[in-house]
Amino acid sequence: MEDKELNKILDKLLIEFILHGKIRRKEENRLVKLKRITATSPHGIYVYDKASDVWVLKYIEGEEFKPWKDGYYAIYFDNTLCPACKVYDLVWFPYVSLVGRKLEDTEFVVVLCEWFSRRCRSSAAAKSFEKYNIHVSPTTVLLKVENNVIVKREDIRGAKPLDVLIKKIDSFRSSA
């Protein structure tokens, strides 16, 4: 069995455990670490761990996404039923994996639901779609945070090619 197939099986088993409450809520966020988020991944808010090059499921229940420190944030609002999101995934995840580690002052986040806040198995993710007023997917929200306050925001709507994504994020960071 190839590693890819094994990883898919393990991801599905983990999702089943989470969705059926076999893992206590307190522990589940620490257990879900994925190399790549897919349509079968648990809904919630993921944060990119630069040191290990994985996405960590941080929040399933609770409040909407809130920046936790000063700096820049690139937040990808992803819907598992969105065809354009599947295309954008082919750009977003390689970009973050290749460039994300180098942008020390930038955090990368994915908010994942099935279809916006209407069909979502994560209260935290659903509230994030509402709080950030996301009605188009994919949407990447760029934030600049100073003194725990969002001082600048720019939305990138739709699936963008790699060169456009790089240019927009670089431009946002240099003009902020």
Side-chain angles (χ1 to χ4, degrees), residues 164-176:
V164 172
L165 181 63
I166 291 169
K167 186 184 232 180
K168 286 192 173 285
I169 290 176
D170 287 349
S171 173
F172 180 82
R173 292 176 73 249
S174 63
S175 69

Side-chain angles (χ1 to χ4, degrees), residues 6 80 99 158 165:
L6 182 59
T80 62
V99 179
L165 181 63

Side-chain angles (χ1 to χ4, degrees), residues 3-175:
D3 286 342
K4 257 186 202 179
E5 289 174 293
L6 182 59
N7 283 338
K8 282 182 185 178
I9 292 168
L10 291 173
D11 283 349
K12 285 181 183 180
L13 286 172
L14 184 57
I15 290 165
E16 287 300 311
F17 276 116
I18 290 170
L19 295 179
H20 293 98
K22 304 220 191 285
I23 298 175
R24 291 182 317 189
R25 285 282 181 209
K26 223 171 161 182
E27 296 173 350
E28 70 188 16
N29 293 335
R30 283 183 268 158
L31 295 176
V32 180
K33 293 182 179 181
L34 304 172
K35 186 70 175 163
R36 182 158 176 203
I37 299 165
T38 67
T40 61
S41 299
H43 296 179
I45 301 172
Y46 293 82
V47 175
Y48 180 66
D49 179 350
K50 295 175 185 184
S52 57
D53 189 32
V54 295
W55 291 91
V56 180
L57 179 60
K58 291 285 190 174
Y59 307 102
I60 293 175
E61 303 302 326
E63 296 187 23
E64 74 277 354
F65 170 78
K66 294 178 185 169
W68 61 89
K69 66 180 185 177
D70 287 354
Y72 298 98
Y73 291 81
I75 310 160
Y76 170 26
F77 287 85
D78 188 1
N79 284 301
T80 62
L81 293 179
C82 164
C85 293
K86 290 178 174 88
V87 171
Y88 189 56
D89 287 351
L90 299 173
V91 172
W92 171 262
F93 291 107
Y95 167 78
V96 173
S97 189
L98 293 170
V99 179
R101 293 179 186 198
K102 297 173 186 162
L103 301 178
E104 293 177 12
D105 61 348
T106 303
E107 301 297 331
F108 296 91
V109 177
V110 171
V111 179
L112 183 69
C113 284
E114 186 175 48
W115 194 250
F116 301 94
S117 63
R118 293 181 293 282
R119 290 175 65 183
C120 192
R121 291 183 297 275
S122 163
S123 63
K127 289 175 187 173
S128 297
F129 269 88
E130 291 169 5
K131 167 76 176 174
Y132 290 90
N133 199 24
I134 304 300
H135 301 285
V136 173
S137 65
T139 294
T140 302
V141 174
L142 305 178
L143 301 176
K144 180 180 182 183
V145 177
E146 291 177 353
N147 300 316
N148 294 320
V149 175
I150 297 170
V151 296
K152 185 176 180 185
R153 174 181 170 166
E154 181 179 324
D155 291 5
I156 304 169
R157 290 183 183 89
K160 303 297 181 206
L162 182 59
D163 61 331
V164 172
L165 181 63
I166 291 169
K167 186 184 232 180
K168 286 192 173 285
I169 290 176
D170 287 349
S171 173
F172 180 82
R173 292 176 73 249
S174 63
S175 69

